Amino acid sequence: MGGLKPFSAIMMNLRDITYEGFLDLAVSMGEKPYRAGQLYRWVYARGVSSIDEMTDISLALRERLKEKYCITGPSLVDTFSSEDGTVKLVYELSDGLRIQSVIMPEGKRTTVCVSTQAGCALGCGFCLTGTGGYKRNLTLSEMVTQILSAGALAGEGRSITNIVFMGMGEPLLNLDTLIEFINILVDPAGFAISHNRITVSTAGITPGLQRLGTDTNVNLAVSLNAATDSLRSELMPVNRKYPLSGLMEGLRSYPLHGKKHLTIEYVLLGGVNESADDARALVRLLASLKCKINLIPFNPFAGAAFKSPRDEDVERFRDILMKSGYMAVIRKSRGADIGAACGQLKARDLARLSKEKTLEAEGC
Ligand code: SAH
Ligand code: SF4
């Protein structure tokens, strides 16, 4: 397979088109509206990588489509496999930027951790992605391709069952495209993944919460990481803009569908936010919020200003939450040996790129 062909301004990538867009496309080409559904299913449900694969569409129409449209996505430039089965996928975007996804198989479940931005603007000090700065939002096709490629690489007989938006970037700062993507993920004519199996994680972009909850039915996880404004602002600068009072109000009014609960993520940093007092402050902050708590021991990286917590401090923290009636789980990070664990995603300078591993669609 070759590299991406140069982008042509007049070509439009079919992986950037929503169902409504396919309806417009059909009309603009003088075709019946049912064509929209046909094309949509080829692109998303079947995940074809070329217009030529759309075998129930006449040759003449395929030729007309190819004059204006293409199917393309980021090039998969490297993969790293962990001892625990986790696989990190490294993609190069058409402008040379790098992003990553992670495939996490576990029993019958195969979860993909998706990136929504190249880099992240929020600069949380404990997160490797945050230390690298922000580049740009990802497009719909750049997110769609992460799922299609992960599906192709998930292994014999495996398909993608769960999606977590916990890769590079802040999903709620790319909200329009995120919602378009989620609608395609849950659509039975798209990827047909249940909204119960999709989780969006946010650092707490308060104004985006309501719209995510109204326009989608997915699960919400919030990276809290501290129970006071002073500590949280130190760890997560975004807290200065959206402090805890407004964030907690946003979480309390978040539309929870059915029996779902929110997930609170709390990265435990040794000597910083894992004392018994910190745990009690968290209990007070969360009072009456329908949530479970994921405790994530800090994953260290070179040059980090933090250290991992001691096991006994992690357990004490968990026990205080549990005794106060909260469901709290210590999350063992997966893929730490390949830099795929939470907060370890960053495009590194990969000197030797294996071109044979490149998996991509036809160029535009
Ligand atoms: N921007 C979003 C989603 C991506 S980060 C957010 O912050 O929620 C996904 C999770 O990884 C967050 O809960 C974050 O707190 C956690 N994380 C970041 N760096 C980490 C590290 N070094 N060790 C453990 N968890 C980390
Ligand atoms: Fe960005 Fe999330 Fe990392 Fe913070 S934890 S820098 S919001 S990716």
Side-chain angles (χ1 to χ4, degrees), residues 126-127 166-167 169-170 201-203 223 225 265 267 296 298-299 342-343:
F126 53 83
C127 173
M166 297 182 184
E170 169 49 50
S201 176
T202 177
S223 304
N225 303 336
E265 295 163 287
V267 179
I296 316 167
F298 173 63
N299 292 313
C342 291

Side-chain angles (χ1 to χ4, degrees), residues 203-224:
I205 306 297
T206 308
L209 294 174
Q210 201 58 29
R211 191 167 151 226
L212 182 75
T214 312
D215 290 6
T216 78
N217 271 353
V218 296
N219 298 304
L220 177 67
V222 181
S223 304
L224 210 53

Side-chain angles (χ1 to χ4, degrees), residues 120-124 126-131 167-170 202-203 223 225 236 343:
C120 182
L122 300 186
C124 304
F126 53 83
C127 173
L128 186 59
T129 307
T131 60
M168 295 173 88
E170 169 49 50
T202 177
S223 304
N225 303 336
M236 305 180 72

